[in-house]
């Protein structure tokens, strides 16, 4: 082959490489990007150019602290945070109320994990003056996401937020599916440890949710997430089309959250919503005003919630609350199996369990208590009903008289 033909061949091959995107990068070590005051753009460009299956590695060579602005991740990559490395939200770089450290929009096959004793993502909660959506990790319409061995703290919203993309009345929307979260600590986030709005096949195992809302010490709406609800985990669909299916919370700890350990906020669901299926197994909830809190208005919800082999302790108000629970042929089954409740209230006028503002005459509450053990209860009451309808009260008493 003569020189002219060789040059022509090389040009063709280079063009093919360029067109196919084969100039995409393999693994990138963040320290090689010369992090300074703000290297967010350079980091984002490197992520955009990663080959499928490659990794962006926050390595421990550069002082172990990387200050970055909001980053959008993409499908088929790994984010590796080496042992002891801290990713800190860059001060002043999150003015938008929805700015997140890592945002994943309809991504698939992404692993975000810490090595060794784990990595940390820390935001600047003290400088956020409004809004409730500045999350450490925001998952929207994602599939096959693994998050492991991390501490997520001091966000202006949630440690992790999980929801769909699109609207119920649109022709297109995509749910979050196949989400695995393991050995993650959500500490001191402004609104929740984790919010699950719409998702299917979620497994959360060996995680800790603590101090939610406890770092919000400003008055009024000047603080992030001023209305909470300040829970370890909040299940709270925003629309009737959203779903909570095959959600499993296992071996987790909930401690010192400002208002709730776990919230089931089902006010936006209806009988047309897909059946719910949630299991809470071998979890410990302590040192919050309310341990487990249910709120809904509709008796036509379907599905099941099973809470088993778990404990609720040192709650200041009530261990378990049913707010606006519709006691009239409820179709959703909620089962408590082998539950230990210790020191459930600090007020002798209250009780371990509160059922408030019931709606309709009792026929089928959907509630089952098996193996409920209550200790150190200064109120001496296992269950308290707050309802003005005496007929409802009598029926509830008959249904749950074994708990008195």
């Amino acid at each position: 082959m003569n020189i002219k033909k060789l040059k022509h061949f090389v040009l063709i091959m280079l063009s093919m490489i360029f067109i196919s995107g084969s100039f995409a990068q393999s693994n990138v070590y963040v320290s090689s990007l010369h992090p300074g005051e703000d290297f967010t753009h350079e980091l984002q460009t490197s992520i955009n150019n990663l080959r499928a299956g490659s990794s962006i590695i926050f390595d421990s060579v550069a002082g172990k602290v990387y200050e970055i602005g909001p980053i959008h991740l993409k499908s088929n990559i790994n984010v590796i945070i080496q042992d002891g490395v801290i990713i800190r939200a860059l001060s002043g770089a999150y003015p938008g109320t929805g700015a997140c450290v890592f945002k994943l929009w309809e991504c698939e096959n992404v692993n975000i994990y810490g090595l060794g004793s784990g990595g940390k993502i820390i935001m600047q909660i003290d400088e956020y003056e409004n809004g409730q959506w500045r999350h450490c990790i925001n998952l929207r319409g994602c599939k096959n996401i693994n998050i492991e061995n991390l501490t997520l703290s001091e966000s202006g919203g949630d440690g992790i937020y999980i929801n769909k993309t699109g609207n119920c009345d649109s022709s297109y929307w995509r749910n979050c599916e196949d989400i695995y979260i393991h050995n993650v600590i959500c500490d001191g986030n402004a609104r929740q440890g984790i919010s699950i709005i719409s998702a299917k096949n979620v497994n959360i195992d060996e995680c800790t949710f603590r101090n939610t809302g406890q770092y919000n010490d400003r008055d009024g709406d000047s603080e992030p997430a001023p209305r909470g609800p300040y829970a370890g985990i909040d299940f709270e669909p925003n629309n009737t089309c959203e779903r909570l299916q095959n959600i499993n919370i296992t071996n987790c700890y909930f401690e010192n959250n400002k208002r709730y350990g776990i919230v089931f906020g089902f006010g936006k669901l209806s009988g047309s919503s897909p059946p719910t299926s949630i299991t809470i197994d071998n979890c410990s909830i302590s040192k919050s005003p309310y341990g487990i809190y249910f709120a809904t208005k509709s008796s036509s919800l379907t599905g099941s919630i099973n809470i088993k082999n778990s404990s609720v302790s040192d709650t200041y108000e009530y261990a378990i609350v049913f707010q606006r629970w519709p006691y009239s042929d409820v179709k959703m089954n909620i089962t408590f199996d082998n539950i230990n409740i210790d020191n459930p209230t600090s007020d002798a006028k209250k009780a371990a369990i509160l059922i408030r503002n019931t709606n309709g005459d009792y026929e089928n509450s959907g509630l089952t208590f098996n193996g409920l053990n209550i200790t150190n209860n200064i109120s001496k009451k296992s269950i308290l009903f707050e309802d003005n309808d005496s007929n409802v009260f009598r029926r509830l008493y008959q249904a749950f008289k074994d708990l008195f």
Side-chain angles (χ1 to χ4, degrees):
M1 182 181 293
N2 61 37
I3 298 298
K4 187 175 180 180
K5 287 184 177 179
L6 178 61
K7 287 181 178 179
H8 182 66
F9 175 76
V10 170
L11 286 173
I12 291 174
M13 293 304 297
L14 287 173
S15 298
M16 291 175 64
I17 291 171
F18 180 78
I19 291 169
S20 67
S22 294
F23 275 137
Q25 296 173 293
S26 297
N27 296 345
V28 172
Y29 287 82
V30 177
S31 65
S32 69
L33 303 179
H34 309 293
E37 287 187 7
D38 188 357
F39 71 110
T40 305
H41 177 74
E42 192 175 359
L43 175 60
Q44 184 67 69
T45 300
S46 294
I47 291 171
N48 294 345
N49 291 333
L50 276 180
R51 288 180 180 150
S54 297
S55 303
I56 189 84
I57 302 167
F58 290 84
D59 48 316
S60 58
V61 224
K64 296 190 177 183
V65 177
Y66 295 94
E67 295 190 339
I68 64 173
I71 291 293
H72 290 256
L73 299 182
K74 68 174 188 176
S75 295
N76 304 310
I77 65 168
N78 305 302
V79 177
I80 301 173
I81 306 172
Q82 289 188 347
D83 191 358
V85 168
I86 296 173
I87 299 173
R88 188 182 298 278
L90 180 66
S91 179
Y94 294 75
T97 57
C100 304
V101 177
F102 290 139
K103 181 175 287 187
L104 291 79
W105 190 276
E106 298 188 350
C107 293
E108 296 186 3
N109 309 319
V110 176
N111 301 301
I112 307 172
Y113 61 94
L115 299 180
S117 61
K120 295 182 179 180
I121 300 176
I122 304 174
M123 296 191 74
Q124 304 270 5
I125 191 172
D126 288 339
E127 69 179 47
Y128 307 138
E129 294 188 353
N130 50 50
Q132 55 182 327
W133 305 284
R134 293 180 180 92
H135 313 308
C136 290
I137 299 176
N138 185 350
L139 307 180
R140 299 293 298 269
C142 294
K143 185 174 183 179
N144 193 25
I145 307 296
N146 297 305
I147 302 172
E148 298 189 61
N149 203 25
L150 297 176
T151 297
L152 310 174
S153 62
E154 299 183 41
S155 71
D158 307 337
I160 302 173
Y161 179 83
I162 304 173
N163 197 0
K164 66 177 187 0
T165 54
N167 299 313
C168 290
D169 55 359
S170 68
S171 58
Y172 171 81
W173 62 273
R174 177 171 170 171
N175 206 36
C176 265
E177 295 186 12
D178 305 324
I179 311 297
Y180 179 64
I181 301 170
H182 175 250
N183 193 28
V184 169
I185 298 172
C186 293
D187 185 10
N189 295 289
R191 188 178 69 161
Q192 332 276 22
I194 294 181
S195 290
I196 304 179
I197 310 301
S198 186
K200 179 180 179 181
N201 303 334
V202 177
N203 291 290
I204 300 175
D205 183 49
E206 294 187 328
C207 294
T208 298
F209 307 93
R210 65 191 184 206
N211 301 323
T212 306
Q214 299 290 16
Y215 299 161
N216 298 10
D217 54 3
R218 285 168 274 172
D219 294 329
D221 289 345
S222 66
E223 66 179 16
R227 288 170 289 279
Y230 313 128
I233 294 181
D234 180 23
F235 297 95
E236 191 174 355
N238 293 324
N239 296 284
T240 56
C241 75
E242 293 172 344
R243 61 202 63 202
L244 299 168
Q245 295 182 310
N246 192 27
I247 314 290
N248 298 285
I249 315 296
T250 55
N251 309 309
C252 290
Y253 293 87
F254 301 78
E255 185 178 17
N256 197 39
N257 296 296
K258 188 173 182 178
R259 195 172 292 159
Y260 310 104
I262 301 174
V263 171
F264 298 91
F266 292 166
K268 297 294 180 66
L269 295 181
S270 70
S272 65
S273 302
T276 292
S277 52
I278 300 173
T279 298
I280 312 290
D281 189 6
N282 195 34
C283 291
S284 171
I285 303 169
S286 65
K287 298 180 181 177
S288 297
Y290 306 95
I292 304 171
Y293 195 96
F294 296 85
T296 186
K297 299 176 182 178
S298 172
S299 63
S300 59
L301 303 185
T302 59
S304 63
I305 298 173
N306 187 7
I307 302 173
K308 59 184 180 180
N309 308 318
S310 296
S311 64
V312 182
S313 63
D314 299 321
T315 45
Y316 318 132
E317 300 289 337
Y318 299 93
I320 301 171
V321 174
F322 295 91
Q323 173 76 13
R324 301 189 306 275
W325 195 252
Y327 277 93
S328 182
D329 195 23
V330 176
K331 297 177 178 62
M332 176 178 285
N333 296 311
I334 300 179
T335 303
F336 294 84
D337 285 314
N338 188 27
I339 305 298
N340 292 313
I341 296 176
D342 183 68
N343 191 24
T345 181
S346 59
D347 188 340
K349 296 179 181 179
K350 295 181 177 178
I353 301 169
L354 172 66
I355 298 177
R356 174 188 286 154
N357 299 336
T358 54
N359 187 6
D361 286 345
Y362 171 82
E363 291 179 10
N364 174 21
S365 71
L367 300 181
T368 303
F369 293 90
N370 297 319
L372 186 67
N373 181 40
I374 302 174
T375 55
N376 297 315
N377 184 6
I378 66 167
S379 75
K380 308 301 182 186
K381 294 187 290 290
S382 296
I383 190 165
L384 175 66
F385 302 108
E386 288 185 358
D387 197 289
N388 294 327
D389 189 328
S390 59
N391 289 325
V392 172
F393 179 85
R394 283 195 294 270
R395 287 170 172 79
L396 291 171
Y397 178 84
Q398 289 300 315
F400 297 107
K401 60 185 178 181
D402 291 342
L403 292 180
F404 281 84

